Amino acid sequence: MAEIRTRNPRPLSPHLQVYRLTMTMAMSILHRITGAALYFGTILFVWWLFAAATSRGFEALNSFFDTWFGQLMLFGYSWALIHHMLGGIRHLVWDTGRGLGPAEREFSAWATMVGSISLTVMVWILGLTLRG
Amino acid sequence: MTMRSPLSRVRGLGSAHSGTEHFLTQRMTAIANVPLVLFFVYLLVTLAGRSHAAVSATLSNSTTAIFLLAAILSVVIHMRIGMQIIIEDYVHHDGLKMSLMMANTFFSIAIGLCAGFAILKLNFGL
């Protein structure tokens, strides 16, 4: 990468804190946060797969997921997956040059937020009902 | 005093002509991730808290295993590029940036191999 080094540090563009928080901005930040969280969340997935494959520590992991913190973690994990997926679909639509107008992007921002929460709740209700 | 134009000096120092491939790969894996992750969410909500016997029975199904392997491959490629973008955005110290980029690649490969290994072990029972 080319780097221009000057003796006096040049002013940088203003960062997040100087702007009023908007819905599109919040969704942009959340997309990155959920992405990074899912990145490290893969450790949890591999841990669970290994416990299932070797049967060592599986019951301990299961009883952890049975606590309220464990349940919250699983719910949060599935929400992050769904939110990042909806945000990604929003980006794919933008890649075609559509949905970039002020009203459209505001609508899709709210749709991503409301959609991710309601889909996650629905998926868990469905999953727990199917299981009986 | 150089006779080269600023444009010719800056050429070759920029994207190294690899940016477009990352852009397209990120979109391709994003599209693949939609059905694969939905399948994973389905597994998550139906298997959470189930007994070891039930979980290993589901994961030893060939179709489930192939879908999970595909999901792991696509997710690992997608998350490596995603994390690289985050590093490029926030880390400006050359040495630290290169170390983190390398760690990112190692982590992504390790996750992919470990997950793949566990699924194969569940299916072939070695």
Side-chain angles (χ1 to χ4, degrees):
Chain A
M1 294 291 136
E3 234 158 274
I4 301 152
R5 295 180 202 282
T6 48
R7 269 194 301 148
N8 304 316
R10 308 303 302 157
L12 298 166
S13 59
H15 203 52
L16 291 178
Q17 63 272 16
V18 302
Y19 299 107
R20 179 177 58 87
L21 189 75
T22 62
M23 196 56 190
T24 46
M25 184 175 158
M27 287 310 100
S28 170
I29 297 167
L30 261 188
H31 193 69
R32 177 155 285 192
I33 291 176
T34 50
L38 289 169
Y39 180 91
F40 294 106
T42 55
I43 297 173
L44 204 67
F45 171 59
V46 166
W47 189 352
W48 180 71
L49 271 185
F50 255 86
T54 59
S55 77
R56 268 199 304 271
F58 189 86
E59 296 313 319
L61 201 59
N62 241 4
S63 53
F64 166 70
F65 285 135
D66 218 27
T67 63
W68 69 268
F69 185 69
Q71 304 252 303
L72 187 73
M73 221 164 153
L74 286 181
F75 185 81
Y77 192 16
S78 56
W79 171 76
L81 277 169
I82 291 171
H83 191 275
H84 197 77
M85 185 184 75
L86 291 181
I89 292 171
R90 191 162 166 249
H91 272 277
L92 290 171
V93 173
W94 283 338
D95 286 343
T96 70
R98 276 171 280 241
L100 289 158
E104 294 159 296
R105 61 173 190 251
E106 194 70 16
F107 173 78
S108 62
W110 279 103
T112 306
M113 194 66 238
V114 175
S116 68
I117 294 173
S118 40
L119 266 177
T120 310
V121 171
M122 268 161 55
V123 152
W124 277 101
I125 291 173
L126 209 71
L128 295 177
T129 320
L130 274 177
R131 243 158 64 173
Chain B
M1 173 76 189
T2 172
M3 300 297 283
R4 296 177 72 193
S5 70
L7 180 65
S8 82
R9 274 191 288 128
V10 87
R11 272 192 183 142
L13 292 173
S15 72
H17 307 288
S18 65
T20 311
E21 193 198 338
H22 265 186
F23 177 91
L24 291 175
T25 307
Q26 197 66 346
R27 265 86 194 151
M28 187 173 69
T29 49
I31 292 167
N33 280 346
V34 173
L36 294 171
V37 162
L38 283 176
F39 177 71
F40 175 68
V41 169
Y42 163 76
L43 280 184
L44 183 69
V45 296
T46 49
L47 289 181
R50 296 280 298 274
S51 69
H52 179 257
V55 169
S56 54
T58 305
L59 296 181
S60 336
N61 177 282
S62 313
T63 316
T64 307
I66 290 169
F67 264 97
L68 271 180
L69 287 173
I72 289 157
L73 183 64
S74 185
V75 160
V76 157
I77 294 170
H78 189 85
M79 77 180 204
R80 176 175 171 253
I81 297 175
M83 187 51 77
Q84 182 175 332
I85 295 166
I86 294 179
I87 295 166
E88 286 166 347
D89 277 356
Y90 302 129
V91 183
H92 303 301
H93 181 276
D94 282 346
L96 182 62
K97 184 162 73 183
M98 289 318 285
S99 315
L100 286 175
M101 300 265 242
M102 228 182 262
N104 179 34
T105 303
F106 292 160
F107 178 80
S108 303
I109 292 174
I111 287 290
L113 286 179
C114 290
F117 175 82
I119 290 170
L120 293 179
K121 188 168 160 50
L122 274 159
N123 279 268
F124 299 116
L126 299 165

